[in-house]
Amino acid sequence: MLVRAWRGQSSLQLILLVLVTLLLHVSHARVRKRGRSSGGLVLEEKDPVWDIRHVLPELNLENNTVTDVKVNVGDVAYLPCRFPQLSTLHQVSWIRRWDWHILTTGIYTYTSDMRFNVLHTEGSDDWTLQLKYVHTRDNGTYECQMYTGTGVLSQFVNLHVNTPRAAILGPQELHVQEGDTITLICVIQQSKPPFVFWYHGEKMVNYDGSRHRLNVITKVEGTRTHSRLTITDARHTDSGNYSCIPPNVEPAFVLVFVTERGDTVAAVQRRGHSSAASGSSSAVRMVATLCLCFVVLSAYIFLVR
């Protein structure tokens, strides 16, 4: 009797244990289902983002996105990166793709180039990479990575570095007479340089106190910068090469000729004669070469016969 009672009690305990296990499993499944249907994120204890395949659709986050950023040489570039509701749980790194150099991880910088810095506020989803004093060699693709328990999320930024060009209005050669006013206007498109230097040959003339006849005025109008160089009472010593050189901009050049009043035609004729003489000498050399070739060819034919 005792054996039968013990066996019956053990069977009852086993049945109760099985029932409790089934109830717990059904309750856990209902909680998981209710969490998903309500739009909430159900996170497991092992991994804060329990399954990236479930998290991404609810956050409407696209992986492998590509952004284009355009900036001029010398400016500051801001490369955006944002992982909503995820970057607060994991480290975010910036990588330069062409040499696979790790620039930053989290808030720490891992490059000796001090121009790079990550902009991030604690608790935010933004991990913007700041690049100061941009060079043309910085042109290329940068990758923002976030490592999770189920893989890697990446966002790509293509940095396009533009080098503005300066242009001096008018012909490349300017002819004026003594006593006239020389006016040179330099235009810089899509750039606002803080200053514009004018050079006469190798000498900067912006602050040349010995030339009171000279004046430089620089203005910014919208996306363009104008710099005007004016020289009154032109003299023969004002002749030469003038260059407009703004910082981080391709420079522009113009050649100025100052001749005696009434002697402009003579100067042009002298230049024309020199060009004609040069052309004549070239023609003579060509004729001589042809004659020599003809003589060599005739001698060859005579020897073959």
Side-chain angles (χ1 to χ4, degrees):
M1 294 293 292
L2 293 175
V3 172
R4 290 180 180 178
W6 181 80
R7 288 180 178 177
Q9 186 177 4
S10 299
S11 299
L12 180 60
Q13 291 178 351
L14 179 60
I15 292 172
L16 290 175
L17 180 61
V18 171
L19 290 175
V20 170
T21 302
L22 290 174
L23 288 174
L24 290 176
H25 179 73
V26 171
S27 177
H28 180 68
R30 288 180 177 177
V31 171
R32 293 285 296 273
K33 183 178 181 181
R34 184 170 59 254
R36 295 183 187 178
S37 62
S38 62
L41 298 179
V42 180
L43 305 180
E44 293 182 350
E45 294 180 358
K46 294 182 181 180
D47 187 5
V49 281
W50 57 277
D51 189 348
I52 203 67
R53 292 170 298 178
H54 292 68
V55 173
L56 286 178
E58 297 190 22
L59 295 178
N60 193 24
L61 179 65
E62 295 183 2
N63 190 21
N64 296 325
T65 59
V66 180
T67 305
D68 291 314
V69 173
K70 297 180 181 180
V71 65
N72 288 336
V73 172
D75 290 346
V76 181
Y78 296 94
L79 280 58
C81 178
R82 186 172 183 267
F83 293 106
Q85 303 182 29
L86 295 179
S87 56
T88 56
L89 304 175
H90 296 275
Q91 291 282 6
V92 174
S93 300
W94 275 100
I95 299 174
R96 190 167 54 199
R97 286 299 300 270
W98 63 85
D99 59 358
W100 296 102
H101 184 73
I102 299 177
L103 301 173
T104 65
T105 297
I107 60 174
Y108 300 101
T109 303
Y110 291 93
T111 176
S112 59
D113 192 341
M114 302 306 295
R115 299 177 303 135
F116 289 96
N117 182 38
V118 65
L119 304 180
H120 173 72
T121 304
E122 185 176 357
S124 71
D125 300 318
D126 295 322
W127 295 84
T128 301
L129 182 65
Q130 182 188 56
L131 174 56
K132 300 178 181 179
Y133 313 113
V134 175
H135 302 316
T136 53
R137 65 174 179 269
D138 297 320
N139 190 83
T141 302
Y142 296 78
E143 179 180 359
C144 179
Q145 287 187 349
M146 184 184 69
Y147 294 89
T148 69
T150 56
V152 179
L153 289 178
S154 295
Q155 295 182 11
F156 301 92
V157 179
N158 294 326
L159 179 61
H160 304 276
V161 182
N162 177 50
T163 303
R165 294 180 178 272
I168 297 178
L169 302 182
Q172 293 184 346
E173 292 186 3
L174 179 62
H175 295 267
V176 299
Q177 295 182 349
E178 289 185 345
D180 290 345
T181 298
I182 302 174
T183 302
L184 304 177
I185 301 176
C186 181
V187 179
I188 303 99
Q189 298 276 7
Q190 304 298 327
S191 180
K192 300 178 181 179
F195 49 83
V196 176
F197 288 144
W198 283 93
Y199 281 81
H200 180 203
E202 300 295 329
K203 183 179 181 180
M204 188 178 67
V205 297
N206 291 62
Y207 311 104
D208 189 356
S210 62
R211 302 175 69 174
H212 303 287
R213 300 172 293 110
L214 185 145
N215 185 33
V216 175
I217 299 177
T218 301
K219 294 182 179 181
V220 178
E221 298 179 359
T223 60
R224 298 199 306 177
T225 300
H226 295 78
S227 184
R228 181 189 299 268
L229 170 64
T230 304
I231 304 175
T232 58
D233 191 18
R235 302 172 185 176
H236 182 69
T237 54
D238 295 325
S239 298
N241 182 58
Y242 286 82
S243 53
C244 168
I245 307 180
N248 301 317
V249 176
E250 288 291 333
F253 307 91
V254 65
L255 194 58
V256 176
F257 295 93
V258 181
T259 58
E260 295 181 3
R261 183 165 296 278
D263 197 31
T264 304
V265 176
V268 173
Q269 288 179 346
R270 283 195 296 270
R271 290 201 306 145
H273 289 325
S274 61
S275 300
S278 176
S280 299
S281 60
S282 300
V284 171
R285 286 195 298 269
M286 183 179 296
V287 172
T289 303
L290 291 175
C291 292
L292 180 61
C293 292
F294 179 75
V295 171
V296 172
L297 181 60
S298 300
Y300 175 77
I301 294 174
F302 178 76
L303 292 176
V304 171
R305 289 179 177 179

